[in-house]
Amino acid sequence: HDLLMTELYPFLQERGLPVMTHCSRGGVQGRGVVTAAADRYTAPEAYVPVMEAFPSLRICLAHFGGAADWRAYVEEGMPPGDAEARRRNWQVAIRDMIGSGKYPGLWTDISYTLFHFDDNLPFLKLFLEGTGDEAEQLQRRVLFGSDYYMTRQERLSERAVCFRLRNELGEDLFWRIAQVNPEVWLGEREEEVPEAGGAG
């Protein structure tokens, strides 16, 4: 929207204020808004022009693409060389966008996504514990902690998810996504950028 691009985003970037936005299917509703149009508003690619125009603006695409796209990835898999399939699955698209390094202000979060714990955690762990620049970039751009009020609809409490996640990921990785990364995203902590070619 023109007003966002000319007024709001410049204001936020200038003041170092982050943006959290919904990024899962079905979240935008309104009279006359059909599902396909709603999804265009919240698709990861919708934020590419914003990130290109405001490279230091921190934007979190909340829910890491959403439960439906995580479920599709888990149940159907993903052909590694199929660029179009990777773009259509928002979870994969976000990972690819963060891992590319082209969007230094791009973040995502996993709090609500992880309530589908048994299905999604092994994949999250694999993504975050991977080796190489893409995995390292992802480790520095995942947040745990949003959508706490949605926990009232779920079998597990946020506390239970937190403890299970901590147990599965280990202290160091959990501390990164639950403490270090949120502080960096909120502008309360300087980011420690690893040396080129070195381990983080």
Side-chain angles (χ1 to χ4, degrees):
H1 192 280
D2 286 345
L3 189 60
L4 296 175
M5 294 296 281
T6 60
E7 299 291 334
L8 184 62
Y9 294 142
F11 175 88
L12 295 173
Q13 179 174 255
E14 181 182 323
R15 287 159 180 77
L17 299 172
V19 174
M20 181 168 283
T21 185
H22 185 88
C23 187
S24 66
R25 298 177 196 274
V28 174
Q29 299 175 358
R31 185 175 301 161
V33 179
V34 298
T35 301
D39 284 353
R40 284 196 298 274
Y41 292 130
T42 59
E45 64 190 20
Y47 286 88
V48 169
V50 178
M51 293 183 292
E52 289 175 343
F54 307 100
S56 63
L57 180 64
R58 297 185 306 281
I59 300 175
C60 177
L61 300 182
H63 321 307
F64 210 150
D69 286 63
W70 276 79
R71 186 168 52 252
Y73 181 84
V74 169
E75 294 175 1
E76 301 163 18
M78 179 66 53
D82 190 338
E84 181 57 24
R86 296 183 72 80
R87 186 193 65 76
R88 283 193 312 263
N89 184 293
W90 293 2
Q91 179 257 103
V92 177
I94 292 170
R95 277 195 296 124
D96 288 349
M97 290 166 72
I98 290 174
S100 75
K102 288 170 34 178
Y103 309 106
L106 178 59
W107 297 71
T108 193
D109 74 63
I110 49 90
S111 182
Y112 189 56
T113 308
L114 258 290
F115 282 93
H116 301 274
F117 196 87
D118 295 333
D119 294 333
N120 294 341
L121 184 64
F123 291 91
L124 175 67
K125 186 175 182 181
L126 184 69
F127 301 153
L128 294 178
E129 288 185 340
T131 57
D133 292 342
E134 289 182 10
E136 182 180 291
Q137 185 72 9
L138 190 63
Q139 286 176 14
R140 295 198 328 263
R141 290 296 180 260
V142 172
L143 306 169
F144 172 71
S146 71
D147 257 10
Y148 66 91
Y149 64 92
M150 296 292 285
T151 63
R152 296 217 180 268
Q153 302 177 46
E154 300 298 336
R155 178 179 58 87
L156 294 173
S157 68
E158 187 169 30
R159 180 178 172 85
V161 170
C162 180
F163 275 96
R164 289 183 181 197
L165 185 63
R166 186 174 179 178
N167 184 56
E168 289 293 323
L169 294 182
E171 288 296 316
D172 290 344
L173 198 47
F174 177 78
W175 183 255
R176 170 166 283 288
I177 68 173
Q179 182 73 33
V180 175
N181 289 354
E183 288 177 352
V184 172
W185 187 73
L186 291 169
E188 297 175 353
R189 178 186 189 126
E190 288 292 321
E191 182 171 21
E192 297 174 14
V193 180
E195 296 178 17

